[in-house]
Amino acid sequence: MEISTLAAYHCLAFVWYFFIAYSITHVRTEERPSEVFLYGGQWKYLTVLNLVLQAVFYGVSFLADVLRLIKNLRCAKCVISSRDLLFSVLAFPVSTFVAISFWTLYTYNRELVYPKSLDGVIPLWLNHAMHTAVLPFAVLEILATPHRYPAKKKGLVLLGFVAFLYISWVLWIYSVTGEWVYPLFALFSPGGLAAFFAGSLAIIISFYNFGEFLNRMIWGQSKFCF
């Protein structure tokens, strides 16, 4: 894909994610179901954090494209390294995890992850923007441009650290409010919950490996060309 076309795409994707993140964080207070938006507000939900992550990633990607267009290759190289690290370790695996885990649990029992009371607050299009569109966006990014993945150990350590931070945030909210971020967690014993978190981490690691596999299959081991 031409750099100018890629820049236009990344700009549009950034604007889209910024708009979606803005929309979900500005749901009118009087319309929020009290049992859903407790301590931590929307910032306790992985879905919302992922929207911010995607906006940051596409913003960095757009900046890298602009630097390449103006031939500032020294700065572009640094920004591209940051872009690739963001995509490989977080943007692709988290988006894939959000989309697949949400719709799997929603199909099984929506009350475990997305109570029916939210239907009157969050329109259908916004629900799909948060939980469906994130996956094709992630796949399209792999198709659009190659990304250099870090050493496997480094990538998995970074991914595990971010997962640990989010789990700690979830547990902290429970310790303060006595309410779980997702009703699903209330079904587990402490040991069961630990197993669920470990299983979720294993799944997101598999998505990391899948993204690396797709990137290699499509682009091979070729270096990024400036």
Side-chain angles (χ1 to χ4, degrees):
M1 186 179 291
E2 294 292 331
I3 299 177
S4 57
T5 304
L6 197 61
Y9 165 67
H10 284 148
C11 181
L12 289 174
F14 167 73
V15 171
W16 167 255
Y17 275 112
F18 184 86
F19 169 69
I20 298 303
Y22 178 87
S23 297
I24 192 61
T25 55
H26 285 76
V27 173
R28 288 187 292 176
T29 304
E30 65 271 14
E31 294 183 351
R32 297 176 180 179
S34 59
E35 73 276 13
V36 174
F37 296 100
L38 295 169
Y39 182 87
Q42 292 98 329
W43 304 111
K44 62 187 176 182
Y45 297 111
L46 184 59
T47 294
V48 177
L49 295 175
N50 180 54
L51 294 175
V52 176
L53 167 65
Q54 300 304 318
V56 171
F57 165 70
Y58 282 106
V60 171
S61 297
F62 176 60
L63 175 60
D65 297 335
V66 170
L67 291 172
R68 292 175 66 201
L69 283 171
I70 64 176
K71 307 299 183 181
N72 191 338
L73 302 186
R74 183 176 181 181
C75 290
K77 185 176 180 179
C78 179
V79 176
I80 287 172
S81 295
S82 299
R83 179 204 68 184
D84 289 347
L85 190 64
L86 268 175
F87 180 77
S88 61
V89 176
L90 294 176
F92 182 84
V94 174
S95 283
T96 307
F97 180 80
V98 165
I100 293 179
S101 62
F102 175 83
W103 287 113
T104 299
L105 292 169
Y106 185 98
T107 302
Y108 174 72
N109 183 356
R110 66 168 298 176
E111 293 298 320
L112 297 177
V113 290
Y114 194 82
K116 194 172 180 60
S117 58
L118 284 176
D119 287 346
V121 179
I122 300 175
L124 183 61
W125 72 266
L126 185 53
N127 181 21
H128 282 292
M130 295 188 296
H131 298 115
T132 307
V134 292
L135 182 54
F137 263 105
V139 174
L140 181 58
E141 177 62 23
I142 285 185
L143 296 174
T145 186
H147 297 84
R148 283 192 292 250
Y149 273 66
K152 182 61 68 72
K153 182 178 179 180
K154 177 183 178 181
L156 294 182
V157 167
L158 288 173
L159 179 58
F161 177 69
V162 173
F164 171 77
L165 289 179
Y166 180 69
I167 291 171
S168 298
W169 174 227
V170 167
L171 295 176
W172 171 258
I173 291 173
Y174 178 74
S175 71
V176 172
T177 67
E179 299 286 342
W180 287 110
V181 171
Y182 298 103
L184 170 69
F185 297 159
L187 302 178
F188 296 105
S189 64
L193 189 61
F196 176 81
F197 285 145
S200 297
L201 179 59
I203 291 172
I204 202 169
I205 287 174
S206 71
F207 292 148
Y208 170 93
N209 289 327
F210 181 62
E212 184 178 30
F213 170 77
L214 283 180
N215 186 74
R216 185 173 62 251
M217 288 295 293
I218 295 170
W219 299 102
Q221 302 292 344
S222 60
K223 298 293 185 180
F224 191 92
C225 298
F226 293 97

